Amino acid sequence: PLCFPQKLWKMLESDQFRSIWWSEGGKCVAIDKDLFKVEVLGRGVRQRVFSTRHIKSIIRQLNLYGFTKVQRDFQRSASLPEFLSEEAAASAHSQILYYYNPSFNRAHPWLLGTCKRR
């Protein structure tokens, strides 16, 4: 079985999920809280990605693996799909959560192995 950061990475690299994406050029994880609850946590037992159905548990896992919540006051994404998904989420008044971990970077997949639980 995959550990939490590996599952997260797999979701981010998949085109199956609209509720979670790479932000800031692959340096941050962006989660559309409301859509994530339905799309990921609301799945049936057989298709479940995580063993929980609660967003608080996912946030707890992020914190346990060294992710820190970041506020969105830095510049918008340069890539058009990323920008459009952020705009769509913002216009829908969804709560977008941004998390950063220096060892969790799309450009440096080999660092994934250094993401350890505290």
Side-chain angles (χ1 to χ4, degrees), residues 5-18:
Q6 292 169 324
K7 287 180 185 178
L8 201 59
W9 188 282
K10 215 172 164 173
M11 288 178 70
L12 289 161
E13 290 297 307
S14 161
D15 56 2
Q16 186 181 353
F17 302 98
R18 294 178 315 141

Side-chain angles (χ1 to χ4, degrees), residues 26-79:
K27 293 185 176 112
C28 287
V29 175
I31 301 170
D32 180 327
K33 194 174 169 181
D34 296 333
L35 186 56
F36 190 85
K37 285 179 188 175
V38 174
E39 184 184 61
V40 179
L41 303 177
R43 289 175 156 223
V45 177
R46 293 193 188 281
Q47 301 94 8
R48 210 169 276 168
V49 179
F50 301 107
S51 58
T52 184
R53 296 180 67 87
H54 304 283
I55 192 74
K56 283 183 178 182
S57 297
I58 299 299
I59 292 168
R60 193 175 307 116
Q61 286 292 314
L62 286 164
N63 292 325
L64 279 171
Y65 279 94
F67 285 82
T68 52
K69 189 174 183 183
V70 250
Q71 297 304 318
R72 273 303 293 228
D73 42 46
F74 34 101
Q75 80 238 22
R76 286 289 200 179
S77 301
S79 81

